[in-house]
Amino acid sequence: FIHGNTASFNMPSPWGYQCLDYKCVKEENTGVVGLTTLNECKLTCGASSSLWPKPQTAQLGKTTAQFLPRAITLDHVSPPTVSPLLLEAFHLFLNNLDKHHPQYSDKTVTWSEPWDPSVSSHMVQVKVTIQQPDIWLTLLTDESYQLVVETSARVTTVTIIAPTFFGARHALETLAQLIAYHETRDNLMIVTSATVRDAPAFPYRGLLLDTSRNYFSVAALERTIDAMAANKLNTFHWHITDSHSFPLNLESLPNMAYYGAYSSNSIYHPLDVVHLVKYARVRGIRLLPEFDAPAHVGNGWQWGERQGLGKLAVCVNKEPWQQYCVEPPCGQLNLANPNIYKVLSEIYREMIQLFAPVDLFHYGGDEVNLNCWNTTEEMTSWMKAQNYGLDADAYYGQWSVFQEKVRQLVTQAHGGVEVPGILWTSHLTEKGRVNKYLNNTKYIIQIWTTGQDALIAELLQKQYKVIFSNYDAWYLDCGGGAWVGEGNNWCSPYSGWQKVYDNSPHAIAKALTNSTHANLILGGEAALWTEQIDEEAVDARLWPRGAALAERLWTNPSTGWADAEYRLIHHRQRLVQRGVSAERIQPQWCHQNEGLCYA
Amino acid sequence: FIHGNTASFNMPSPWGYQCLDYKCVKEENTGVVGLTTLNECKLTCGASSSLWPKPQTAQLGKTTAQFLPRAITLDHVSPPTVSPLLLEAFHLFLNNLDKHHPQYSDKTVTWSEPWDPSVSSHMVQVKVTIQQPDIWLTLLTDESYQLVVETSARVTTVTIIAPTFFGARHALETLAQLIAYHETRDNLMIVTSATVRDAPAFPYRGLLLDTSRNYFSVAALERTIDAMAANKLNTFHWHITDSHSFPLNLESLPNMAYYGAYSSNSIYHPLDVVHLVKYARVRGIRLLPEFDAPAHVGNGWQWGERQGLGKLAVCVNKEPWQQYCVEPPCGQLNLANPNIYKVLSEIYREMIQLFAPVDLFHYGGDEVNLNCWNTTEEMTSWMKAQNYGLDADAYYGQWSVFQEKVRQLVTQAHGGVEVPGILWTSHLTEKGRVNKYLNNTKYIIQIWTTGQDALIAELLQKQYKVIFSNYDAWYLDCGGGAWVGEGNNWCSPYSGWQKVYDNSPHAIAKALTNSTHANLILGGEAALWTEQIDEEAVDARLWPRGAALAERLWTNPSTGWADAEYRLIHHRQRLVQRGVSAERIQPQWCHQNEGLCYA
């Protein structure tokens, strides 16, 4: 036994693991045959190994082959458009395997010799066939894949067949989860046989990050996208701007960020956006831009009068804020000023260019405060001059006119080709209003009310396509302290991963309408509004709860969280290995003693 | 205006700040005289600048002098025992100043030339006088200091006078907060004049970290100690072991960690402890060891029978856990086995040696489960054989006998010199029991019930010295999801920093007993139990709420959180600069617009 200043014990662990009844059971290692390490047990025990999200079907072997990362080769048959993407995705896959090593740091690791010849000679041959040339994700993209692992003697063959690149890269994520680091041999191991047929339950599987309340560096966005990729989420919904700040540095409108960014270091340059679009794409993810209007604008819009365009936004930072908006600082577009459409036209044009190709555009459209407009002389004069009146319906009407105008501007910015729009539930979607104001062939509605809201039934019955983000389960910012005043924040309590996991859009629809409305529910999204979060703590808010969301949206299991617990605890460890500071959900003792931390 | 792939705008900000009514007010910078940067405004605006915790008295100038870090010199008069400590503390102070620089990384930064000659020639001369030779903290240590800053022409003189090293290092922390980075000049600035007289309200200002439920690397402990130092907290209460794991690798009892650590990489070596004791000391902090017994033991104790010592712990990992302990895994010492005292004697001896010099020892002593003992044949046979009986009082009696024995072992391990002990509130401290079982001259009681508990009144009325950790405000792990079962964890909701700040031990005592009992209340401590936290997310759980605690315990203000809010928001930024991933408590907009984020 070695004492003192060493990095670790120099003796094997007194404990080993045995797979019993689909659980890894810790036992004292007194030379018993069949005890393995924890990683090896997790790889071969459990009905779905430690795969996350759980595939639609998987048959998995119970033995492993030991090998070295350098032994992995790639053969592929794919359309020429797709090959460079696949090669890049494969490179990411290899790098992710290196991250399993405890001494991994900064993209390198040294695997220390010598190994047993049976280990160093074992080959892992990955053969990928991609059928279609698509290189951009749409709601119609076939993300399915088949993955077969076979081993004979010293060769493990992995055969991946996928209609699209997106399915193939999902297969590589699954493959990475069939491989683990062997804690005592210092090599990798792979499950010797597997047959996985897999496809997502929902085409839209999103995560929203708000970069206006607080700024996040490009590195933090990349890390978030990495973690999404590890969970087969496919939409990074970027709520870029809001009334608080305008960090997007548009080439055509530099004043927006100049006046609106928190500082000269807290901005996204055009090339950052272009970079992130590609960064996300090779990880199977669309970067969905949101430009929230006509409310949720403010800081960044203060330059209009100086440039001869009049007041573009009203109620900007107006006090007392409670009268003019839902949270400080206030601000709404000035519908009385036609110059807003000139500016918006530039914003949409440049955004659509930076995010190209866009297959969806998020208009925001939530939380308009009528009192802001109704106490702004320029607005009320205009409303009166146009004979619109000043009642709520008059304002809703003008808001919907605004929405139609910006929809046309986006279409125009997109070369005249219509882009399906997404809107938050709002006053315009309330009972009896939605079909008056919003065309169900043009808009997808993102639901952020509770999962019990009758509004959901109305939207489905009126044939709106919807995305679920009901705040009672899928707002990840809930449950902290208040940031105005004291007590807890508005949407407390905190939603644990169990609640995130069990929040089923189909079950909600069924409870409210007696039908799952599977054809209308495109999927769901967890939202992280960032009043109280910046990049210092973002990982722990998003993960592993984002993984719970991902399994709901990919697998849509008929079972609840309890059946997923062991896999999630192990998957969380994998996310940490990948450089994501995911929160622990249980003591490590529970990870090492499956099934013993129960209520 | 520069577009594209640059790191930031190359233009000055359109905004500047003006100090109006003790608030930094953001205004458009159209060449107005008197507008400053945000950092400069925060340094000179507000009644206490941005000092945290707020000193007892401070008069601060409203102007700044610009200088470079290399211009700082140290002169000191101090007893020879203290000089090396002071030099080390001064080195830390200088390094902390470097961290203000946005390009700081990994202990270095380059301050880029050229500067205005008035900046590069400005000197900052720090003169420190320490009167007493003490180099270890006790509850009687005088932590007070005086700090005077004066500036004439090109020299700023800082005079620090403190009875002890500990006061002097607190003064350096205060001084570091009177200095800030100037965002546009790329130099430091210091408030030109200041007179601060300061001393803590409470001698015990603690933070508990539990390294048994989950393991934390030495680097994570160091980072936590760094952040404590920045807040003038003085006690790192290390809850090292528990039933979950035993990470402390004792030289005399290697089996404890060999069987009890989560892995061979998840251990603290003896030299780690010795290192941390010194690391904390120079930062003004005692490392307080807790060895929790007779409950909260389990994993790590499994080797007794094999070594011929019989069963040392009972109910270890026993199922169903609900019958034998408060959370899985269970375990309690086997009072029927006298060999436990041999083992405990070794544990205490080595711990007291590693943590030397100890001025306090924490015995734990909470949450004994009588049913564990009462369903263990060896225990019940022994109880019966000794004619103790098997009722609750009999077990409490034997528990208190155990406590007296371990107290004697600790005294013996400490060379026969008694060490004040700390115990958690427990069955032994319940109404009518405490003075039967625990001597108020030998034990300090750490209160973890709610702040409304009548038990607090009884302890104070019976003249027990106490430390407050009432869970309804000062347990920092509350408010997340449950980790056994679903829903929220047991002590939800989350306590926001406001509640942490307003939790006043004196006010609690006064409400319950009509007296503040200031002579009995040694201070308080926030506890982070780590069932759901490991080092990936620990900073955000501890900070900035730990800072709110620190001001309550250092300043004990008569005002509430609202008066502290601007300073805390700025202080949080300082913690982030120091490498601590503290949580944001408001949008950055609120930091830039003081007073506008209110309820």
Side-chain angles (χ1 to χ4, degrees), chain B residues 510-531:
Chain B
K510 180 108 188 184
L512 291 167
T513 68
N514 208 29
S515 159
T516 59
H517 284 290
N519 60 321
L520 294 173
I521 300 176
L522 299 179
E525 180 167 285
L528 186 59
W529 302 104
T530 60
E531 283 87 353

Side-chain angles (χ1 to χ4, degrees), chain A residues 103-116:
Chain A
Q103 267 93 57
Y104 176 88
S105 95
D106 197 25
K107 303 205 176 170
T108 55
V109 66
T110 306
W111 298 78
S112 48
E113 315 246 3
W115 292 271
D116 184 295

Side-chain angles (χ1 to χ4, degrees), chain A residues 91-166:
Chain A
H91 177 77
L92 295 174
F93 161 77
L94 293 178
N95 188 232
N96 284 334
L97 295 186
D98 272 348
K99 290 180 185 170
H100 289 304
H101 197 284
Q103 267 93 57
Y104 176 88
S105 95
D106 197 25
K107 303 205 176 170
T108 55
V109 66
T110 306
W111 298 78
S112 48
E113 315 246 3
W115 292 271
D116 184 295
S118 75
V119 174
S120 53
S121 67
H122 194 93
M123 299 297 296
V124 176
Q125 298 175 344
V126 181
K127 298 178 178 180
V128 180
T129 304
I130 296 174
Q131 292 145 342
Q132 298 170 15
D134 316 46
I135 56 167
W136 294 103
L137 192 72
T138 74
L139 290 175
L140 301 175
T141 299
D142 186 337
E143 297 177 80
S144 70
Y145 67 89
Q146 293 178 36
L147 169 69
V148 175
V149 180
E150 295 159 302
T151 302
S152 66
R154 292 187 174 175
V155 179
T156 296
T157 308
V158 179
T159 309
I160 291 170
I161 301 174
T164 69
F165 162 73
F166 297 93

